[in-house]
Amino acid sequence: MALKTVRDVDVQGKRVLVRVDFNVPLKNGKVMDDWRLRATVPTIRYLTERGVQVILISHLGRPKGKRDEKHSLRPVAQRLSELLGQPVAFAEDCVGEVAERAVAALQPGEVLLLENLRFHEGEEADDEAFAQQLAKLADVLVNDAFGAAHRAHASVHAIAKFLPPVAGLLMEREVTHLGRLLQHPEKPFVAALGGAKVSDKIGVLRNLLDKVDALLIGGAMAFTFLKAQGYETGKSLVEADRLDLAKVLLNEAKGKGVELVLPVDVVVADCDADDAATQVVPSDAVPKDKAGYDIGPETARLFAARIKPAKTVFWNGPMGRFERAPFKAGTKAIAEALAECQGTTVIGGGETAASAFEFGVADKLTHVSTGGGAALEFLEGQELPGIAVLI
C-alpha cells in the first residue's frame, strides 16, 4: 500500500496541521503514559527542522461534544514540550478566533497544540463545516494519527475534502509493518491472540487463517473455544452465543492446515483480586466453582516454543488478567518469547502494547502499534477511513 507522505510535499516554511493521536491517560493533571507522544516526535522534528509552523490537533477521551476540563490537552502540551526540548504553545480551542490568533502568532520552527477536537460535536459527526474550520488554519495537512484512522471523524476524513492529507512518519511506519503481515509475511508466521472475547477478534481470526502457520489462542477468549470442544470451563468467561462460531473456526483452521493451539493448562481462582489464591489445572478440568484468569506455565512454554523460532509473529491481546499480580505470568512469558524471537515481531496497541512496556520488551520488538482498534481493523482487511484518503 503506497501512501503519499510528508516527504513527498514541500513543507518548507509553511503552516502544517498535524493530526496526532494524543489520547493518553491523565492523572492529577499529568500524563501517565507518554508513549504515543514519543511516537510522533520524529514527524514533529522533521517539520520543525524545515522551518514549519507546526499545529497539532488531537482528541482526548470522550467529552461528548462539550468542553470538559478533565479532558483538556493542556497537560499534554507540557509533557510534549519536555520531550521535544522546546516550548509547545497551547490554544484553548481548536477552531475559531482563539485558534486562529494562536496560529497567527506562530514563528517558523515553533509548535502549537490546539485544544481537544472532541469538545466540538462536529468532530465525531464527521461534519464538513467543522472540518473546513480546521483546514483554514494551515497550508498542508499531515495525518500521523494511526490510532484514529479507523474513525470517520472530521479531522481524519471530512477534512480531506478541503486540505488533501499526506501521511506522517508514524502513519507510514504503521501501514508498512502491519501491511507486511498481510502481504509478504516471512514463514513460518505465528499469530498469538488473547483478550476477553472471540467476538472482538472474529475478523482478524478469519483473515489471518489464510496467512498464518500457527494460531495461538489465549486470554479469556480461549474458554469459548475450550467449551466448544466440550470441556468443563467452570465460571470462566464464555460467550455462549459464539460456541458454534468457535467450532467453525476450529474446523476452518484444520481444513487450511493451520495449527490452532489452545491452552493445555490454566491458572484458576475464586476471583481476579490481587490477593487471589490460585492453582494451575488442566484446561479440560476447570473446577466448577472457579474461573480461569491466565494461561498456565505449560501453555506458556508451548506458545513460546512456537514463537521463538518463527520468522514473523503478530501478537494482540493479553493472555490473562495481567493487571492483577497473580495473573501476569502468561502475558509476561509471551512478551519475553517475542523479545527472544529473531524474526519480525509486531504487536497491536492497547493492553498488548502496555504489557510490552511493563515487561520491558518493547524496544526489542520490530514494531509496537499505537493503534489497538485501528490495528485490528487493518488486519481484518477493512478499509480505514483515515488511510483511504491518503492513498
Side-chain angles (χ1 to χ4, degrees):
M1 184 184 296
L3 299 182
K4 189 174 184 181
T5 78
V6 65
R7 296 190 192 91
D8 299 319
V9 291
D10 178 17
V11 295
Q12 195 77 35
K14 292 182 177 175
R15 290 179 304 165
V16 176
L17 191 67
V18 187
R19 178 45 161 114
V20 289
D21 181 11
F22 287 170
N23 188 27
V24 297
L26 302 178
K27 188 175 181 181
N28 299 324
K30 299 278 187 186
V31 173
M32 300 305 293
D33 182 350
D34 64 7
W35 166 53
R36 281 180 167 170
L37 276 63
R38 287 183 280 117
T40 64
V41 165
T43 297
I44 297 170
R45 286 215 173 112
Y46 177 90
L47 295 168
T48 56
E49 287 166 2
R50 284 157 180 80
V52 164
Q53 297 161 67
V54 180
I55 308 147
L56 304 171
I57 55 173
S58 179
H59 73 279
L60 175 65
R62 299 180 184 275
K64 300 180 180 176
K66 295 180 180 138
R67 177 170 286 276
D68 181 345
E69 290 308 313
K70 76 172 184 273
H71 290 116
S72 173
L73 281 164
R74 183 179 286 279
V76 175
Q78 183 178 341
R79 179 60 187 136
L80 182 62
S81 172
E82 294 165 0
L83 292 171
L84 290 172
Q86 72 174 86
V88 174
F90 181 73
E92 298 288 345
D93 206 346
C94 58
V95 291
E97 188 180 342
V98 170
E100 289 165 19
R101 274 204 314 268
V103 169
L106 271 182
Q107 298 299 309
E110 290 185 345
V111 181
L112 166 69
L113 175 62
L114 304 183
E115 186 55 286
N116 194 340
L117 293 161
R118 289 187 181 174
F119 283 0
H120 294 264
E121 290 180 347
E123 167 62 3
E124 292 189 77
D126 202 22
D127 181 69
E128 291 191 4
F130 179 66
Q132 201 163 10
Q133 282 185 286
L134 291 169
K136 71 188 283 193
L137 298 173
D139 309 305
V140 177
L141 173 63
V142 173
N143 190 344
D144 216 26
F146 178 76
H150 59 318
R151 308 289 189 199
H153 291 173
S155 63
V156 298
H157 185 252
I159 195 171
K161 295 181 180 179
F162 310 104
L163 200 59
V166 294
L169 305 181
L170 172 61
M171 179 71 82
E172 179 187 35
R173 199 161 68 246
E174 293 272 15
V175 171
T176 297
H177 285 297
L178 292 169
R180 282 180 186 149
L181 296 180
L182 297 179
Q183 293 156 11
H184 309 294
E186 196 175 350
K187 299 283 195 165
F189 178 12
V190 174
L193 297 179
K197 296 180 177 180
V198 178
S199 52
D200 294 338
K201 305 275 165 71
I202 292 170
V204 174
L205 281 162
R206 277 246 154 86
N207 209 26
L208 290 181
L209 277 177
D210 288 324
K211 306 175 193 329
V212 300
D213 299 289
L215 192 55
L216 318 177
I217 306 288
M221 64 185 283
F223 292 105
T224 299
F225 284 92
L226 293 168
K227 187 77 170 178
Q229 293 183 317
Y231 294 166
E232 174 57 57
T233 55
K235 292 185 176 179
S236 306
L237 179 64
V238 170
E239 289 179 277
D241 61 337
R242 302 291 178 176
L243 292 173
D244 287 341
L245 172 66
K247 291 175 186 174
V248 169
L249 290 169
L250 287 163
N251 286 330
E252 283 184 11
K254 191 173 182 181
K256 293 174 188 288
V258 173
E259 184 186 20
L260 196 152
V261 188
L262 292 170
V264 295
D265 61 347
V266 294
V267 179
V268 300
D270 294 325
C271 61
D272 69 344
D274 280 318
D275 60 353
T278 65
Q279 66 182 111
V280 177
V281 300
S283 56
D284 60 353
V286 175
K288 290 184 179 181
D289 61 342
K290 296 186 187 298
Y293 292 110
D294 194 10
I295 58 171
E298 187 55 39
T299 302
R301 283 191 287 272
L302 204 62
F303 285 8
R306 282 155 180 80
I307 289 169
K308 289 179 186 178
K311 296 294 186 183
T312 306
V313 183
F314 172 68
W315 174 33
N316 180 273
M319 294 293 113
R321 287 280 284 160
F322 82 100
E323 306 93 331
R324 305 289 194 193
F327 313 116
K328 284 184 184 292
T331 301
K332 184 180 182 186
I334 299 309
E336 290 174 345
L338 262 81
E340 290 183 43
C341 176
Q342 297 300 302
T344 298
T345 49
V346 178
I347 70 174
E351 288 183 325
T352 322
S355 67
F357 283 103
E358 178 179 338
F359 300 129
V361 304
D363 61 346
K364 299 181 177 77
L365 308 176
T366 307
H367 182 65
V368 179
S369 178
T370 55
L376 283 180
E377 289 193 22
F378 187 96
L379 292 173
E380 285 173 14
Q382 290 192 37
E383 180 179 87
L384 275 57
I387 292 176
V389 297
L390 298 173
I391 298 170

